Every structure is written in structure tokens, then in C-alpha cells.
Amino acid sequence: MNKRSILPAIIAAACLLSTAQAEQKPLRFDADKGVRTELVMPNGQTVRYTAYTKLYFATNVEDSTYQYMNLFVPDGATEQSPIFLRTYIGGYMECQAGYPQATDASGRALAEGYVLVIPGSRGRQSTVTRKGKTVYTGRAPKGLLDLKAAIRYLRHFDQQIPGNTERIITDGTSAGGAMSALLGATGNHPSYDPLLRAMGAARERDDVFASVCFCPITDLEHADMAYEWLYGNTLSRQALSETKRQLSAELAAQFPDYIRSLGLKLPDGTQLTADKYLDYIRQLLMESAQEAKDAGAAISDTIGLTFSEQSAFQAPINGGVGMPNRTEASRPMPRGDKPQGEYITSIDLEKYLNYVETTQPLKGVPAFDSYGVDGAVASGENGEFGGADGSDANFTPWSANKTGHPLTNEVQASVHLMNPMHFIGNTQARNASHWYIRHGARDRDTAFPIAINLATKLRNQGRDVNFKLPWNRPHSGDYALNELFRWIKQITQ
Ligand code: DHB
């Protein structure tokens, strides 16, 4: 089906639905309503700022618990100060507008003198009661629309709010990392505009300058095939039932075509194919381990790495920028007992993937679009693409075909709107110029190729991309803040 031909009709229908049941709130910003507050940072520094809270970013408010943002202006901020937007979305869930935290990127942004925005947003479990009925307010793409509306609000009140709207930097982790990637990729794309207008979002641009994506759970259309292609032969998956093994194999078999269809280029200019992909992963992991080792981390020789006194003389993919923050690693490495050379020379990926997946796998088969496939329970993502009645939905053709729950046009349209990969290099979107993407080297919430494809596609489109699989990192975000904020300083100067 041609998605482009169905999009306008679907979107128009969704607009009508969402305007019918909203509460009217004018878009307002009152500079006199700020409250003076302070935050004490871990290093003892006191950051003084003014807080503006409960700023509704849309005039047709469907869910007043979530559709507003909080804004924090540190003393000394000017029209030139960067604006840092931190979303606390996790698990594609709703989240309320928050407050700066001394220990994460939000507090750090304030301490750096940046204007801070923490929007609320609807999510897959947010509900209101209307005429005695429970209505789910935040199924895809509503959460993203709320974030885009928050960005439009900043531009709408640009004259009244300090900060440079040409220097908006978004940050999020996991599903929030996916949202940050979407904000970075889909700026001003016309497909979202009718939905944003129906919400009563300001008629402004919604592109951003930079996107910080920690472990983005994204490209959900292809995350299942990537997962089985990478992890399908681990010991844990070998122990699955024959039926599951078959499902896993079918999914894995789709990955090579997908990679070919992306037409991604490696740093040496050759095309990234499935055949070359494992080597690409190996190189990224070895670079990451080497960087950690150089910074003094103890690395086990029991998880597949080999060491030598001699360098393998491989040019690093990333140019070895920055150092991981050793103190933040949260699981001790298994201890090896052999003396190690200084250089990491190879990685046995089979062994390493067994180590990452562990004997207690996090994800079933399929990992994401599990609704109804072989009796599996619905995943969070099935809820994200489900209906306003709280139903779950399949969102990939493969799972839909297996379960006999066909993909509706509406779900197909939402899936498209929720995938940043479709908007990178799209002439109707303004992609962020700068990207900071991290996916931990032992994060198994989605497979490595999801983050790698995102970073590679952006690089191929000429974007500035700082990408790593940080060593010994599980699924987490807002770490190595010195490294992150050094990067932000550099791109905003
Ligand atoms: C998140 C984690 C997941 O494993 C997933 O499938 C979706 C979201 C999260 O932490 O946001």
C-alpha cells in the first residue's frame, strides 16, 4: 500500500476526532508569573532560576494532566542561550511536565546557563473519562505531537522567553530517545501539520538544532527482524521451542533485504550489506572496549575479546572522541584471570552476544510486535499503536499476517509518523544538524543495528553525528554528562 496516498485522509479523520472533545485553553505566556527557585548541584554549586509552570502548549487540550510544559530560565540567560528540552518519556508512556533534577542532564543544562524545558506528554496509558467511558488519549503519534507543540510554543513566545530558538537541543532516553530522534528528524514535515493544527498547536516551525538520543527504541517496523538477526542464535534463543525458533528464523531472514533497501554507506564509501554488518558491529564494539580500557577500565577476557601487545592498526570509525565515564558503569565486568595486552585485537561476537543477552532474555519472539503471535502477550508497543478504546494492535505486516489482525490504514499512518528513519534526508523535513547517539554495549532492549542504522543514515546525509556503543553500559541515559555537555558547548559556540 502506498502510505503517501492514504496519509491525508487518515490524518483528516484523526483531526476531526481529536478536536471534537477538547477543552479550550488559550496559548499564554505571562513573564510575571515566574517563581524564583534554586537547585543545588552534586558539586555544591547553587543554580538560581525562574520557573514558569503549567504552560499549555495547545489550545484544544484533550488531556489536561499532560498537555503542558514547565520552563526554567537560569539567572543570566540571554536570547543567545541554548534551549535544552528534556523529555522524560519512558516505555512510550505518558509523563507529566517535570522539574530539574540535579543529577541528570536537566539540572546540568540549567547549571550551564541553558534555558530548560520539560514538557508533559500523553502516552499509551493516559486516559480521561468521557460520558462515563474511558478514553485512551495518548496512542501514537500523540506523545510526539505534544513534544512538537511544546517546540512550537517556544517559537510562538520567542520574544518573551529568553533563549535561542535556533539552538534547541532535545534529550531523551529509550522511548524518550526515540522521541528525541523523531524531533530531530521530522522538523516541519507537513504530515504532522494537520494534526498539530487540530490540537491548536502554535503555527510555528518545530525543527530543532540538535538531538540527543540515549538508547533510542526506534524503527519499530524493523526492530523485530534486527533483533532476531542479531540474537537469533544465542544460547537462550536456541533453548526456545521449535515454533519460536521458526518465528525467529523467519524474522531474521528479512533483515538483509531491509539493510539493502536502506542503501547505507560505510565510512569507506562501500555499501553496508548484511554480509558486512557483523564486522561493522565488531569494529564499533572493539573501539568502545578499547576506549574504556585506555581510560583504565578492567575488561574481562571471558566475554569474547582478545588482547595483544600489538595494535591491530584499525582506523577507528568514530575517531575516538571523548572518554566514557568510568565511575558510572553500573555492573561489574566478569573478572578474567589472564594477563592482558594493551590492545583489543578481536571479538568473538557469538560469545559476546550470549553475554549481552544473558541466560534470562528480556524480549520474546517477536521482541516488539508480539500481539497475538504464537500466544504472546501484547507488548508496550502494541499498546502504543492500539486504539483510543485501550485495544492493542499489531504494527508490522509480518506479525499482522501471522495473527490475522490486519494493519488498519490508521495504524500504518501512525507507524510511519513514528519512525525517524523515513524522515532523514526527506526534502520536506528539516533534520537537526547535530546528533549525539548512544546505545550501551550491553543494552539488549533493542538490537545494535537500530541505533547503528540511525547514526549511519544521518552521517550519510551529511549530519554531524557523535555516535558510540559505550562500553559496559546497560539500557540507560543521561550518563557521562561531562562528555555530553562538552559536545553541546562545542556545537553551540
Ligand atoms: C523502553 C524499553 C523497551 O524495552 C521498549 O521496548 C520500549 C521502551 C523504555 O525504557 O522506554
Side-chain angles (χ1 to χ4, degrees), residues 222-290:
H222 306 102
D224 289 330
M225 56 180 81
Y227 211 88
E228 299 315 317
W229 179 79
L230 190 66
Y231 290 109
N233 288 316
T234 54
L235 293 172
S236 311
R237 273 166 151 64
Q238 282 174 32
L240 293 173
S241 69
E242 203 36 57
T243 323
K244 290 273 181 195
R245 302 258 326 123
Q246 176 63 28
L247 294 177
S248 170
E250 280 181 38
L251 282 164
Q254 297 167 37
F255 182 77
D257 278 351
Y258 174 52
I259 289 304
R260 202 170 307 119
S261 77
L262 286 175
L264 299 175
K265 295 278 190 297
L266 285 163
D268 67 4
T270 61
Q271 190 168 338
L272 176 58
T273 56
D275 288 349
K276 292 190 192 161
Y277 213 112
L278 290 179
D279 274 344
Y280 193 30
I281 294 175
R282 280 189 195 99
Q283 194 178 340
L284 286 163
L285 288 169
M286 282 165 59
E287 240 177 84
S288 163
Q290 186 70 59

Side-chain angles (χ1 to χ4, degrees), residues 289-290 293 297-310 333 336 338-347 471:
Q290 186 70 59
K293 191 164 169 51
I299 296 187
S300 170
D301 58 12
T302 64
I303 57 172
L305 294 163
T306 49
F307 304 85
S308 157
E309 294 305 329
Q310 307 280 310
M333 290 292 294
K338 288 198 216 104
Q340 291 176 0
E342 203 177 335
Y343 298 103
I344 290 157
T345 47
S346 69
I347 181 166
W471 189 247

Side-chain angles (χ1 to χ4, degrees), residues 118-173:
I118 305 184
S121 45
R122 294 166 291 176
R124 65 180 167 88
Q125 297 284 16
S126 55
T127 57
V128 294
T129 306
R130 268 194 218 113
K131 297 190 185 134
K133 269 181 48 187
T134 302
V135 178
Y136 284 69
T137 58
R139 265 72 206 285
K142 302 281 186 67
L144 173 61
L145 297 177
D146 286 344
L147 298 176
K148 284 170 103 55
I151 288 163
R152 288 173 168 218
Y153 178 101
L154 290 168
R155 288 218 168 82
H156 196 65
F157 293 109
D158 196 14
Q159 298 305 312
Q160 291 92 315
I161 301 174
N164 185 348
T165 51
E166 298 308 310
R167 292 289 178 273
I168 298 174
I169 300 148
T170 62
D171 171 38
T173 298

Side-chain angles (χ1 to χ4, degrees), residues 130-438:
R130 268 194 218 113
K131 297 190 185 134
K133 269 181 48 187
T134 302
V135 178
Y136 284 69
T137 58
R139 265 72 206 285
K142 302 281 186 67
L144 173 61
L145 297 177
D146 286 344
L147 298 176
K148 284 170 103 55
I151 288 163
R152 288 173 168 218
Y153 178 101
L154 290 168
R155 288 218 168 82
H156 196 65
F157 293 109
D158 196 14
Q159 298 305 312
Q160 291 92 315
I161 301 174
N164 185 348
T165 51
E166 298 308 310
R167 292 289 178 273
I168 298 174
I169 300 148
T170 62
D171 171 38
T173 298
S174 195
M179 293 294 184
S180 185
L182 280 158
L183 292 171
T186 67
N188 310 331
H189 195 280
S191 290
Y192 303 85
D193 198 54
L195 289 163
L196 287 158
R197 281 183 183 221
M199 278 168 65
R203 296 192 178 189
E204 302 282 354
R205 287 165 40 210
D206 53 48
D207 59 289
V208 302
F209 175 68
S211 170
V212 177
C213 315
F214 283 100
C215 52
I217 299 286
T218 197
D219 196 3
L220 296 171
E221 286 153 271
H222 306 102
D224 289 330
M225 56 180 81
Y227 211 88
E228 299 315 317
W229 179 79
L230 190 66
Y231 290 109
N233 288 316
T234 54
L235 293 172
S236 311
R237 273 166 151 64
Q238 282 174 32
L240 293 173
S241 69
E242 203 36 57
T243 323
K244 290 273 181 195
R245 302 258 326 123
Q246 176 63 28
L247 294 177
S248 170
E250 280 181 38
L251 282 164
Q254 297 167 37
F255 182 77
D257 278 351
Y258 174 52
I259 289 304
R260 202 170 307 119
S261 77
L262 286 175
L264 299 175
K265 295 278 190 297
L266 285 163
D268 67 4
T270 61
Q271 190 168 338
L272 176 58
T273 56
D275 288 349
K276 292 190 192 161
Y277 213 112
L278 290 179
D279 274 344
Y280 193 30
I281 294 175
R282 280 189 195 99
Q283 194 178 340
L284 286 163
L285 288 169
M286 282 165 59
E287 240 177 84
S288 163
Q290 186 70 59
E291 196 178 290
K293 191 164 169 51
D294 291 350
I299 296 187
S300 170
D301 58 12
T302 64
I303 57 172
L305 294 163
T306 49
F307 304 85
S308 157
E309 294 305 329
Q310 307 280 310
S311 161
F313 294 114
Q314 213 155 18
I317 287 176
N318 283 314
V321 216
M323 290 294 159
N325 183 340
R326 267 181 292 146
T327 58
E328 289 170 342
S330 50
R331 166 157 59 114
M333 290 292 294
R335 286 188 69 86
D337 47 15
K338 288 198 216 104
Q340 291 176 0
E342 203 177 335
Y343 298 103
I344 290 157
T345 47
S346 69
I347 181 166
D348 174 342
L349 206 51
E350 205 177 304
K351 207 164 177 182
Y352 186 75
L353 292 172
N354 279 324
Y355 157 72
V356 174
E357 201 198 14
T358 80
T359 49
Q360 285 163 326
L362 183 71
K363 302 271 177 175
V365 183
F368 295 90
D369 191 3
S370 61
Y371 173 51
V373 182
D374 195 33
V377 292
S379 66
E381 287 78 5
N382 294 131
E384 171 70 355
F385 291 107
D389 58 354
S391 55
D392 296 305
N394 283 125
F395 53 90
T396 61
W398 184 85
S399 287
N401 193 37
K402 286 279 173 206
T403 63
H405 298 124
L407 296 182
T408 63
N409 288 345
E410 196 178 347
V411 168
Q412 286 186 68
S414 292
V415 168
H416 188 84
L417 293 177
M418 291 298 287
N419 191 344
M421 295 295 282
H422 298 308
F423 297 89
I424 298 167
N426 179 317
T427 52
Q428 290 184 288
R430 182 156 171 183
N431 299 156
S433 304
H434 303 279
W435 293 75
Y436 186 94
I437 303 171
R438 295 291 183 267

